[in-house]
Amino acid sequence: KKKKKKKKKKKKNTLLTYRAGTRILTITFSVIISTLLALGGVRALSPLLEVQFDALALTQWFILQAADIVVTVAIISGGSNGVHRMISTIVDQFPTKAGSTDAQTSPTT
């Protein structure tokens, strides 16, 4: 009985290792392809923004392009789940105002 459990546990560990490896390969491939697409001109934010790029300073232009590439890569490689994780990570870094009046949604009269 113990040998059977050990074999089953070993098979399960082998399967988990295989799945983790294929997940890493899939994510890596997806990020590489989506980065190439974003660098090639497929963008998520630029079509939504009406920005006159000639009027921007070089730093502003660079930041906007970098943010556009990051968002595009997140959307293409991870879908909406990737974007949700990225936003959640950013939002989690800021303290919440649970007890403040800013956090209340109902108006007071």
Side-chain angles (χ1 to χ4, degrees):
K1 230 179 183 179
K2 288 184 180 183
K3 287 183 181 181
K4 203 174 197 181
K5 284 185 179 183
K6 283 185 180 182
K7 277 188 176 183
K8 190 174 183 179
K9 188 173 183 177
K10 187 176 180 180
K11 285 183 179 181
K12 186 176 181 180
N13 286 340
T14 304
L15 179 62
L16 289 175
T17 303
Y18 172 76
R19 285 183 179 172
T22 56
R23 176 179 277 167
I24 290 170
L25 285 174
T26 304
I27 291 170
T28 303
F29 182 73
S30 176
V31 168
I32 290 170
I33 295 298
S34 59
T35 301
L36 291 174
L37 285 170
L39 291 174
V42 176
R43 300 290 172 87
L45 294 179
S46 294
L48 301 175
L49 302 175
E50 293 183 22
V51 178
Q52 294 178 354
F53 290 103
D54 298 339
L56 294 177
L58 183 61
T59 306
Q60 292 172 329
W61 179 86
F62 180 76
I63 291 171
L64 182 63
Q65 293 299 318
D68 195 3
I69 289 172
V70 168
V71 170
T72 303
V73 168
I75 289 172
I76 294 173
S77 66
S80 61
N81 191 22
V83 175
H84 176 69
R85 284 183 185 173
M86 184 174 62
I87 291 172
S88 294
T89 302
I90 293 169
V91 170
D92 289 344
Q93 300 301 317
F94 296 103
T96 59
K97 299 179 181 179
S100 72
T101 56
D102 294 339
Q104 296 177 356
T105 56
S106 61
T108 57
T109 56

